[in-house]
Amino acid sequence: FLKQWHRSGDIRGGENRVYFEQDAEGLIWAIKMNELIYHQNNMADFADRLIKSSEYFPDTTLEIIGMVTTPRGIKPLLRQAFVVTNPQVLAFPAQIRTALEERGFRLLDPDNEIWLSPDRAYYFSDPGQNNVLVDEHGELAFIDVIFRTVTPEQFKQDYPKLAGLMFSLFIQPAAS
């Protein structure tokens, strides 16, 4: 990742253009311009995602530091502490699954990596090796996971093959 960034000055993921900056105290930050493509340009939906991500994964909080005008509209500019990793160490799916289950998340669809939050208010996807890093201390760091509010309409739209799960989610008691 960093080698590619050093060659080009920025890097593009599925939804973010990422830059790096070092502040006066020597801290390195990932600066991200989010394209809002996973939120159909809906800032309220995106802000809800940031709040939930920060609540569930406080070590990798994303903060909005501004807005940027682009040819595709106004986009949020975010800041996240840079996660120092060992590039030879990857987060394995079993590690990710264990870490999420220990935090109370429930796996809904192993094929698409769709998880339900402990309070059953949100589901999220994309906790794969690109978005779950192993930091310099061997701990998992969850970055850029995509949270959505659990509503039958949103769930059916996002995951039509799993729409039947919606009923079972609400008849089983939530984990306490």
Side-chain angles (χ1 to χ4, degrees), residues 84-95:
V84 178
T85 64
N86 176 341
Q88 271 65 45
V89 179
L90 296 176
F92 292 102
Q95 285 177 289

Side-chain angles (χ1 to χ4, degrees), residues 17-145:
R17 179 163 289 218
V18 183
Y19 306 86
F20 295 94
E21 110 178 338
Q22 189 169 9
D23 67 16
E25 297 170 5
L27 297 174
I28 299 174
W29 297 93
I31 305 299
K32 302 176 178 187
M33 185 194 69
N34 191 285
E35 296 283 353
L36 297 175
I37 59 173
Y38 297 144
H39 300 282
Q40 293 75 43
N41 285 318
N42 182 328
M43 269 302 293
D45 187 37
F46 181 71
D48 194 39
R49 167 187 168 186
L50 294 183
I51 291 165
K52 283 293 137 193
S53 185
S54 295
E55 179 182 323
Y56 293 123
F57 305 112
D59 296 339
T60 54
T61 295
L62 282 159
E63 62 180 307
I64 298 175
I65 59 172
M67 302 299 282
V68 178
T69 301
T70 74
R72 294 165 310 285
I74 298 173
K75 307 297 179 184
L77 192 61
L78 312 166
R79 182 173 87 157
Q80 185 175 48
F82 180 72
V83 177
V84 178
T85 64
N86 176 341
Q88 271 65 45
V89 179
L90 296 176
F92 292 102
Q95 285 177 289
I96 296 168
R97 183 176 184 159
T98 298
L100 289 170
E101 288 172 347
E102 286 173 353
R103 293 175 188 221
F105 290 92
R106 177 178 165 204
L107 183 61
L108 296 178
D109 180 8
D111 296 332
N112 294 302
E113 287 295 312
I114 302 167
W115 291 81
L116 182 65
S117 64
D119 60 5
R120 297 180 181 214
Y122 295 86
Y123 61 95
F124 77 96
S125 60
D126 214 12
Q129 290 179 332
N130 289 336
N131 292 331
V132 182
L133 308 175
V134 180
D135 72 16
E136 62 187 335
H137 306 292
E139 300 294 323
L140 296 184
F142 291 80
I143 62 170
D144 295 336
V145 293

